Amino acid sequence: MKLTASFAHSKCYHFRRLAVPHRTSSQFSTATIHLNKDDSANVWTLTQEDVSHYWKGYLATRPKYTDAFYNLIYDYHALHSQSKPPSFSIAHDVGAGPGQVSAKLAQRFSHVVVSDNNENHVNYAKHFLSTTSVPASRFSFAVAKGEDLGSRYPPASADLVVSALMFPLMDTMSALRSFHTLLKPGGTLAVWFYGRAHFAELEYAGLCQPLLDRIINHHFSGVIAGGSPEHTAGWKHVADGIASWLDYIPFAEENWGFVERQKWNTKWTSLGFFGNEACDFSVEPRSSVTDTETVIERDDRSLWRKDWDVSQLREFVEYIYPFQGMEEEYVKPLWVQLEREMGGLHARRAFSWPVVLILATRK
């Protein structure tokens, strides 16, 4: 069932390494970013030396999830929970990164399990959460892949499992089995993803967005293109899934119920942080959506709005990914042209985001 609202595989994937140059005032150190060449659990990892610098920039330039967005999850959970009143006891934040989602979940749930497959990320999340007003006893931490959590924690113990931005990087069926095992009957799985910033004002989108996309695709092509067949297969899995707006995720009716796929801004954005032009393979969206699922589409050009000048936009691009060569000659004239089309160095333009949120109830 599709509604339109007027408001707002069983493989291990391997990625090659990217060496990061000496840090300028806004770049990273000489540490090496590991792209799954030796560790299939991580698409990239940051050394302890770089992790604090990166996550601070990440949090400063990414959209802020609103209370209204979290309430979509909480209201869904309350509606479909098998306990009355609904249980808000244990939540898992899978692939927690810097921990900002965990902090919000802890305002509603009694305990939050904060997990990531990289120890440095978990350590930063501990630091970040220690600066919030939530007592430390409300959190526990695990260095673990999402696919393994079902075997590390008691079955049917969680009310909510959240995966923000990470699901396309996981083994699809292994992750679903893990989360199904973790959740209580009537528990909620919430998976969401958003893509790169898009110019929200029509008078600027037509000229400015293609320039921004060319810059981003150029940087990502240096990471994605080339490499081994395993490297290519890994990135293709990610690119195909994101281009599908996560419709590729299958929810077997014997395991999951009340599946909702909520999407924002599908008509004028694309979901990925990079476009097809960054890839040296065909990007092939696919769908596992069934007739029993509910699809809700919303158009909201003010969703998670950011008002940025060109310098702030450059910071967003820098912290999408720990790129190498942010000052490459190819992108310099593109930034000059983009600055001009935006109205000058200090002109601020409005940006919004493509977003998909999937909610499912464990049977």
Side-chain angles (χ1 to χ4, degrees):
M1 177 173 61
K2 182 175 180 179
L3 306 175
T4 301
S6 59
F7 64 92
H9 45 273
S10 300
K11 294 182 180 179
C12 291
Y13 301 110
H14 302 270
F15 295 76
R16 61 190 173 90
R17 289 186 176 185
L18 173 65
V20 179
H22 284 283
R23 174 164 47 196
T24 66
S25 60
S26 62
Q27 289 182 311
F28 300 99
S29 74
T30 55
T32 298
I33 306 301
H34 299 277
L35 302 182
N36 266 22
K37 184 174 182 179
D38 304 311
D39 178 5
S40 62
N42 296 290
V43 170
W44 53 264
T45 63
L46 297 172
T47 68
Q48 190 64 51
E49 180 183 2
D50 284 328
V51 71
S52 179
H53 175 79
Y54 180 79
W55 285 126
K56 287 178 181 177
Y58 176 102
L59 291 171
T61 58
R62 293 300 182 101
K64 302 294 188 295
Y65 305 135
T66 60
D67 289 342
F69 182 78
Y70 284 105
N71 285 338
L72 290 173
I73 300 170
Y74 302 153
D75 291 348
Y76 173 95
H77 177 66
L79 179 63
H80 298 294
S81 175
Q82 291 188 6
S83 61
K84 302 299 178 186
S87 174
F88 285 82
S89 179
I90 296 177
H92 280 255
D93 182 9
V94 181
Q100 84 279 25
V101 172
S102 300
K104 292 295 291 188
L105 294 177
Q107 295 176 8
R108 191 65 184 268
F109 286 81
S110 301
H111 190 82
V112 178
V113 180
V114 185
S115 65
D116 198 285
N117 61 2
N118 182 274
E119 185 176 8
N120 288 333
H121 300 180
V122 173
N123 288 336
Y124 185 83
K126 289 179 182 178
H127 163 73
F128 174 81
L129 293 169
S130 72
T131 67
T132 71
S133 60
V134 182
S137 60
R138 301 275 294 278
F139 301 105
S140 58
F141 300 87
V143 179
K145 296 169 58 179
E147 297 94 323
D148 297 336
L149 291 173
S151 62
R152 294 190 53 169
Y153 288 88
S157 59
D159 298 295
L160 175 70
V161 172
V162 162
S163 175
L165 298 182
M166 290 297 102
F167 199 95
L169 309 181
M170 299 181 190
D171 180 293
T172 304
M173 301 313 297
S174 295
L176 287 174
R177 285 192 295 269
S178 175
F179 300 158
H180 187 272
T181 299
L182 273 179
L183 285 166
K184 302 173 183 177
T188 298
L189 173 62
V191 174
W192 71 84
F193 198 92
Y194 64 84
R196 63 193 180 278
H198 282 69
F199 285 84
E201 300 161 292
L202 289 174
E203 59 267 41
Y204 294 97
L207 290 175
C208 294
Q209 192 66 44
L211 292 169
L212 176 60
D213 290 349
R214 285 176 63 187
I215 292 168
I216 293 174
N217 286 334
H218 173 73
H219 290 310
F220 264 111
S221 67
V223 177
I224 297 172
S228 68
E230 290 176 319
H231 170 94
T232 299
W235 278 109
K236 180 171 171 55
H237 170 77
V238 172
D240 289 352
I242 295 172
S244 306
W245 288 76
L246 307 195
D247 283 349
Y248 75 97
I249 303 174
F251 291 94
E253 292 186 32
E254 63 268 25
N255 295 325
W256 304 95
F258 307 110
V259 178
E260 292 186 7
R261 300 177 187 262
Q262 304 195 34
K263 304 174 184 179
W264 287 261
N265 299 329
T266 60
K267 294 180 174 60
W268 57 279
T269 68
S270 57
L271 187 62
F273 280 99
F274 54 86
N276 296 0
E277 297 79 7
C279 305
D280 58 349
F281 48 79
S282 297
V283 178
E284 300 169 308
R286 57 194 188 277
S287 177
S288 298
V289 180
T290 69
D291 292 338
T292 63
E293 300 176 8
T294 300
V295 179
I296 302 171
E297 294 190 359
R298 299 179 171 94
D299 187 22
D300 184 358
R301 288 179 177 267
S302 64
L303 179 69
W304 303 344
R305 175 171 169 166
K306 294 278 192 179
D307 293 288
W308 284 334
D309 60 28
V310 70
S311 296
Q312 293 167 308
L313 184 59
R314 287 178 72 104
E315 289 183 6
F316 165 72
V317 173
E318 178 179 348
Y319 289 103
I320 287 179
Y321 193 96
F323 287 122
Q324 181 182 20
M326 289 296 293
E327 298 301 326
E328 290 181 12
E329 290 299 316
Y330 175 85
V331 300
K332 286 182 179 179
L334 296 177
W335 279 115
V336 171
Q337 185 179 356
L338 183 54
E339 177 184 317
R340 182 171 63 249
E341 298 295 350
M342 288 177 64
L345 181 62
H346 301 295
R348 295 164 69 89
R349 304 272 68 91
F351 294 85
S352 187
W353 312 83
V355 181
V356 58
L357 167 66
I358 302 176
L359 299 168
T361 299
R362 193 263 207 209
K363 288 186 176 179

